[in-house]
């Protein structure tokens, strides 16, 4: 699959896969200088990129595991969604979940982008839903094992 990408700034870095079988391509910070993300703060970090995703596909922005586990930096919304009709700059809402200020440097890999197909549903109202064994059992209703 080929994805059209427009660099909005000269120092923007195209997404790149870290290994042959990586699902996510790294997104890099397109900033002129360091950014400090204070504890429990969220900062919008630009990538300097705009995408043209095919109809029926979305770009999902996930945390990079090392950045999240070692430094507490991860997308504030857990998973960002880039719709196929969005043509603006891809931004990462990077939240610092740690108790220590973290610094993001220009060109640093800050998140990963996964391109995935999606289905669009037609929602309709009904008076009754089909019965299942689970029924209305909510969080934790199926047990631990």
């Amino acid at each position: 699959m080929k994805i059209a990408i427009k660099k909005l700034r000269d120092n923007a870095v195209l997404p790149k896969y870290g290994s042959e079988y990586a699902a996510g391509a790294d997104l890099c910070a397109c900033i002129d200088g360091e950014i400090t993300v204070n504890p429990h703060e969220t900062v919008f970090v630009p990538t300097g990129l705009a995408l043209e995703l095919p109809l029926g596909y979305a770009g999902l922005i996930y945390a990079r595991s090392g950045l999240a586990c070692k430094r507490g930096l991860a997308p504030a919304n857990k998973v960002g969604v880039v719709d196929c009709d969005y043509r603006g700059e891809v931004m990462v809402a990077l939240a610092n979940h740690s108790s220590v200020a973290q610094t993001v440097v220009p060109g640093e890999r800050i998140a990963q982008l996964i391109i995935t197909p999606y289905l669009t549903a037609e929602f309709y109202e009904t008076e009754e839903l089909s019965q299942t064994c689970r029924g209305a059992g909510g969080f934790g209703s199926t047990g631990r094992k």
Side-chain angles (χ1 to χ4, degrees):
M1 171 181 290
K2 292 187 176 191
I3 303 294
I5 297 180
K6 180 179 180 180
K7 279 189 172 185
L8 303 175
R9 287 189 278 289
D10 289 338
N11 59 337
V13 178
L14 292 180
K16 184 178 176 184
Y17 293 98
S19 70
E20 181 180 4
Y21 299 110
D26 291 327
L27 293 174
C28 297
C30 184
I31 51 181
D32 294 326
E34 295 180 348
I35 293 176
T36 298
V37 186
N38 291 312
H40 313 295
E41 178 183 46
T42 297
V43 174
F44 286 92
V45 182
T47 65
L49 303 172
L51 309 174
E52 185 175 334
L53 298 171
L55 182 63
Y57 287 83
L60 302 181
I61 299 174
Y62 289 96
R64 293 192 70 249
S65 57
L67 199 63
C69 295
K70 294 177 182 176
R71 294 178 49 202
L73 293 174
N77 51 347
K78 307 305 178 206
V79 178
V81 178
V82 181
D83 295 313
C84 66
D85 60 348
Y86 178 67
R87 294 295 184 268
E89 182 172 11
V90 174
M91 303 286 282
V92 177
L94 204 56
N96 182 353
H97 299 284
S98 79
S99 58
V100 178
Q102 299 291 333
T103 301
V104 177
V105 299
E108 182 172 357
R109 298 174 295 163
I110 55 170
Q112 58 182 323
L113 175 70
I114 295 178
I115 307 298
T116 188
Y118 66 87
L119 300 173
T120 301
E122 181 180 334
F123 299 99
Y124 66 94
E125 186 175 356
T126 183
E127 295 294 322
E128 297 292 325
L129 299 175
S130 64
Q131 297 296 314
T132 67
C133 294
R134 182 176 181 179
F139 295 107
S141 66
T142 60
R144 297 183 118 201
K145 295 183 180 183

